[in-house]
Amino acid sequence: MTGTGSVEAGGDVRTAPTPGARLRELVAERRIVVCCGSGGVGKTTTSAVMALEGARLGRRTVVVTIDPAKRLADALGLARLTDRPSRIDGDWPGELWATMLDTKSTFDALVLKHARTPEQGERILANRFYRNISGALSGTQEYMAMEKLYELHEETDFDLVVVDTPPTRHALDFLDAPRRLSRFLDHRLFRFLMAPSRGFVRAVNVAAQTFLRTVSRVVGGDVVDDAIAFFQAFEGMEEGFRQRAARVNELLAAPETAFVLVASPRRDTVEEAQYFADRLREGGIAVQGLIVNRVHPSFAVGGGPVSEVVAAGTAERARSLAGTAIGALYRNLADFQAVAGSEHAHLAGLAEAVAPAPVVWVPFLRSDVHDIAGMEQIARHVFARSGA
Amino acid sequence: MAGKGGVGKTTVSATLARAAALAGLSTLVVEVEGRSGLASMFGQGELGYEEVVLSPGGGPDGAADVRARTLTADAALLEYLEDHGMSRISRRLVATGALDVVATAAPGIKDILLLGKVKQLERAGVADLIVLDAPAAGHAITFLQSARSLLDTVSVGPINAQARDVLELLEDHRRCQVVLVTIPEETPVNEAVETAFSLEDRVGVGLGPIVVNGVYPPVDGLVTTPAEVEAAAAEAGVALRPGEAEVLAEAARFRLDRMALQAAQIERLAAGLPLPQIRLPFQFTAEIGPAEVDALARALLAEVESLAGLPL
């Protein structure tokens, strides 16, 4: 099929392994694969496809999904994914397990792990301010996804953990989410609020009280009381959180971890992907693969991308033959060559930005993926197995 | 305007704004997330907190202006406190980063500050129509629900008053409606139906027509086999290059195939959601610029025209 297949960033190197083979190598050898990209690009399905390939290669694989739309659950034929990994039966030599991130219970477990006493843990879990943090603080979901990844990596014997990332514009917040949380806990205001219980000088006390009174005037006293109770309960646990966050970040940058970017060829998602690639590089992490979903066929005579000259020629014929049957056919071809041309232009820059990472294009499919057969169809494109 | 990522919500916001302006309504687009690309659709640079004119009115249609601005929670809070005689505390709230802590203590506080500002703009009559490009994904529900949730958390004070006013705006269907945007594909259709019911049940907001974006316009007389293509070429006296008949046929099959899939999804949407539909044509061009926004706006007006006979 025209427009289907793969391109090698930086030119066609026939002697080197194909992009599909290089992606399969990641799934075969790495311990962790993180799929990131903006919402609506098929990231969840792509994660499941990567995990399925791991199972096919004989590995014990688990995929962690985050998307609340539960699309992976549909794709895997599971009525409901739970916090505990559940196994998906199928005809493959390895194992395929799936789990859905439950941000709150992951956070709860983390709090209980770091609490000095069970009472301290319970006091925090019961606090309303804490419940808001675990449910709503920006970046918490991203942070907990990485915490879950770390937990599965450290405490279970899966060979491969594939993680989906939240579909937000700030999907890469997990890179600094642990840092942000420790910053939050180490907040100037936090220390300001804590001052009374630590017996700081009386002047600070008074200042804090005055300040809190005015804050209470705006948002109400209950809100402020909850926050103070939380910070008091949390005292002494920051260091444990910080150390663990540091270990999570080390794992993300380790050679056993691979980041794979997922994108669609639309200009805005390509720009997001480019931004993700830059952010990862700043974090000392190289993108190990790029998977572009939903690429239009190029409709070039003889295959390959459509040159601007060819596209202009088609458009010209559509104009000069308007009103005839062949004119309609040229009009239609011109439409799709224009789409393919702009998709190629957008993607060329992105492929360059992630070079030398392998780049794979997956064509527009007839329907959304709901089952293993659909995942298998995508896998044929991603890993370029025979029959693609 | 609300819709999941990838459905072209910002394009449709630009389209609706331009359509309203073409119909003579002065229009203000309010962006809350930044980096949406809205301004570039009108051939302009990034938006700021200060209002700018994206598309001046006038011309043969007697169009009104499309203006736009960005809102941020921090700036909205500062403004609110200063307007309410609390400028001393306001600077301190923002400077100490206390807003972050407060926002965590009462989630939705940032949302209510943004919606409160929109309400204030509406009350001040800054434009005939305000188009709010709401946050993407499931955040739209949380965003619009913030007023109700905050009333439970914050029982007194100015935030409480703000939440009440916002709720009043959201529930007044003559003042405020939510326009959902989707595309004719399976998952986006499912999500649009879900979102619509959640918005009605949990927020109590009125829903306008749903916009189905990216619908392939039909091309008459497409044939799908190379032999038929060659016959059509011969009829017009056109010589085809080798392989060209196959590519023309393949592209025609692709179009018809996708149009059939889209039609099925549009039907599913109609069955699942009893809302009038406004269908906007897929744009084959690389960029959405002023010309495309204009074409889309005219398509939208034509669709509105055809809905006018329906009981809304």
Side-chain angles (χ1 to χ4, degrees):
Chain A
M1 188 180 176
T2 26
T4 299
S6 320
V7 290
E8 183 82 36
D12 185 3
V13 184
R14 293 194 187 282
T15 49
T18 63
R22 290 174 62 200
L23 281 174
R24 184 178 303 112
E25 214 169 89
L26 292 182
V27 175
E29 289 168 9
R30 302 294 175 110
R31 299 284 314 276
I32 292 166
V33 171
V34 183
C35 294
C36 43
S38 45
V41 298
K43 190 155 36 84
T44 308
T45 307
T46 304
S47 308
V49 166
M50 302 291 275
L52 174 64
E53 189 68 9
R56 288 199 184 285
L57 293 170
R59 306 187 83 191
R60 255 193 110 226
T61 307
V62 61
V63 56
V64 184
T65 186
I66 297 172
D67 192 6
K70 297 185 171 54
R71 276 177 284 184
L72 181 69
D74 297 344
L76 297 177
L78 288 177
R80 180 174 148 268
L81 290 183
T82 61
D83 194 34
R84 305 263 113 223
S86 42
R87 187 170 174 180
I88 295 121
D89 295 321
D91 181 25
W92 39 73
E95 291 175 20
L96 178 59
W97 296 70
T99 180
M100 177 132 118
L101 178 75
D102 178 340
T103 304
K104 189 177 176 310
S105 69
T106 306
F107 209 147
D108 288 356
L110 191 61
V111 166
L112 293 176
K113 192 173 295 176
H114 291 294
R116 282 167 305 175
T117 62
E119 293 72 34
Q120 184 189 21
E122 291 307 323
R123 206 163 55 241
I124 294 171
L125 298 196
N127 179 277
R128 191 160 66 167
F129 185 83
Y130 164 75
R131 292 205 303 270
N132 291 338
I133 290 189
S134 58
L137 181 63
S138 148
T140 304
Q141 199 185 33
E142 289 81 357
Y143 177 22
M144 287 307 123
M146 295 306 118
E147 169 58 31
K148 192 76 193 170
L149 162 73
Y150 186 75
E151 186 193 303
L152 285 168
H153 177 78
E154 289 290 303
E155 296 166 17
T156 63
D157 53 358
F158 285 108
D159 302 323
L160 173 66
V161 184
V162 180
V163 205
D164 184 16
T165 49
T168 60
R169 169 157 274 177
H170 312 287
L172 283 189
D173 278 1
F174 62 79
L175 284 177
D176 47 33
R179 256 191 305 265
R180 192 190 328 200
L181 189 88
S182 31
R183 216 170 31 231
F184 183 76
L185 296 173
D186 195 30
H187 204 280
R188 269 174 305 162
L189 188 77
F190 169 37
R191 278 174 294 162
F192 190 47
L193 293 173
M194 285 306 88
S197 69
R198 282 177 182 169
F200 274 29
V201 288
R202 199 179 137 70
V204 178
N205 245 320
V206 173
Q209 294 303 331
T210 314
F211 181 69
L212 289 176
R213 261 201 308 278
T214 38
V215 174
S216 301
R217 270 178 57 206
V218 180
V219 298
D222 295 355
V223 171
V224 173
D225 292 347
D226 284 341
I228 293 175
F230 167 77
F231 283 124
Q232 280 168 343
F234 209 82
E235 216 179 340
M237 280 172 55
E238 308 94 278
E239 193 46 36
F241 263 76
R242 215 171 320 213
Q243 281 171 9
R244 188 159 173 110
R247 288 200 301 274
V248 172
N249 275 2
E250 266 166 39
L251 177 63
L252 292 179
E256 60 202 304
T257 304
F259 278 78
V260 171
L261 263 185
V262 186
S264 82
R266 291 164 21 124
R267 183 198 153 103
D268 52 347
T269 68
V270 166
E271 278 172 3
E272 291 276 276
Q274 181 98 43
Y275 166 79
F276 287 169
D278 294 345
R279 284 281 315 272
L280 285 169
R281 197 177 313 107
E282 282 162 26
I285 295 167
V287 173
Q288 302 290 328
L290 167 64
I291 298 173
V292 185
N293 288 319
R294 309 164 60 79
V295 179
H296 276 86
S298 74
F299 295 118
V301 176
V306 172
S307 71
E308 272 179 45
V309 178
V310 169
T314 308
E316 180 45 41
R317 286 202 145 187
R319 265 190 298 276
S320 63
L321 293 166
T324 67
I326 192 73
L329 287 159
Y330 275 116
R331 171 79 268 143
N332 180 58
L333 183 60
D335 282 350
F336 286 115
Q337 285 186 341
V339 171
S342 59
E343 287 184 353
H344 274 265
H346 294 152
L347 292 173
L350 184 58
E352 214 166 277
V354 300
V359 181
V360 169
W361 297 6
V362 179
F364 237 115
L365 298 174
R366 281 191 54 92
S367 62
D368 290 358
V369 172
H370 308 279
D371 50 19
I372 299 290
M375 287 163 56
E376 180 57 33
Q377 197 190 351
I378 295 184
R380 276 200 294 275
H381 291 292
V382 172
F383 303 107
R385 279 208 286 273
S386 59
Chain B
M1 309 296 300
K4 301 271 174 173
V7 299
K9 181 173 56 72
T10 299
T11 305
V12 179
S13 296
T15 300
L16 180 65
R18 177 66 180 147
L22 284 172
L25 300 174
S26 74
T27 304
L28 175 70
V29 188
V30 172
E31 192 189 66
V32 291
E33 281 190 324
R35 295 207 311 133
S36 76
L38 176 87
S40 76
M41 292 176 191
F42 290 94
Q44 302 211 11
E46 284 296 294
L47 296 174
Y49 199 73
E50 294 302 319
E51 196 178 291
V52 294
V53 175
L54 279 186
S55 148
D61 305 295
D65 286 351
V66 175
R67 292 168 291 144
R69 62 179 294 179
T70 290
L71 292 183
T72 66
D74 282 5
L77 176 68
L78 278 179
E79 241 185 77
Y80 181 86
L81 293 172
E82 275 159 22
D83 289 351
H84 290 75
M86 286 182 275
S87 39
R88 278 190 51 228
I89 159 179
S90 72
R91 277 189 297 275
R92 228 162 134 205
L93 260 178
V94 175
T96 53
L99 180 59
D100 286 334
V101 175
V102 171
T104 306
I109 237 165
K110 289 194 171 185
D111 296 340
I112 213 69
L113 288 166
L114 295 170
L115 285 168
K117 180 68 193 172
V118 173
K119 177 220 66 188
Q120 187 216 323
L121 292 170
E122 185 250 359
R123 278 284 183 231
V126 296
D128 297 326
L129 177 71
I130 298 175
V131 176
L132 172 64
D133 191 359
H139 296 173
I141 298 172
T142 327
F143 181 65
L144 294 171
Q145 219 185 353
S146 58
R148 204 176 289 279
S149 347
L150 264 180
L151 283 179
D152 299 337
T153 326
V154 184
S155 48
V156 293
I159 293 289
N160 176 278
Q162 191 81 320
R164 272 177 205 291
D165 285 354
V166 167
L167 199 59
E168 194 186 293
L169 169 70
L170 293 177
E171 287 177 342
D172 186 341
H173 301 184
R174 283 161 315 162
R175 285 166 69 203
C176 169
Q177 287 194 357
V178 171
V179 173
L180 281 171
V181 182
T182 190
I183 50 175
E185 286 177 34
E186 189 174 340
T187 307
V189 162
N190 294 345
E191 288 172 348
V193 174
E194 258 171 54
T195 307
F197 284 108
S198 303
L199 284 174
E200 268 190 349
D201 297 346
R202 283 156 53 186
V203 186
V205 75
L207 293 172
I210 184 163
V211 176
V212 185
N213 193 25
V215 180
Y216 284 116
V219 174
D220 288 335
L222 289 183
V223 292
T224 54
T225 66
E228 289 169 305
V229 172
E230 274 164 22
E235 194 184 307
V238 174
L240 296 177
R241 285 173 296 141
E244 212 176 356
E246 283 73 18
V247 168
L248 285 163
E250 197 189 329
R253 279 198 304 276
F254 187 83
R255 175 80 155 238
L256 295 172
D257 205 31
R258 293 220 65 84
M259 283 175 57
L261 291 171
Q262 289 196 337
Q265 295 305 329
I266 287 173
E267 238 169 76
R268 274 187 62 234
L269 179 65
L273 200 59
L275 285 178
Q277 294 182 359
I278 289 180
R279 294 165 200 165
L280 293 180
F282 185 88
Q283 297 298 298
F284 291 96
T285 47
E287 313 284 336
I288 303 289
E292 287 73 26
V293 170
D294 226 64
L296 283 166
R298 289 176 201 280
L300 185 137
L301 288 173
E303 287 279 293
V304 170
E305 195 79 9
S306 71
L307 286 181
L310 291 177
L312 288 185

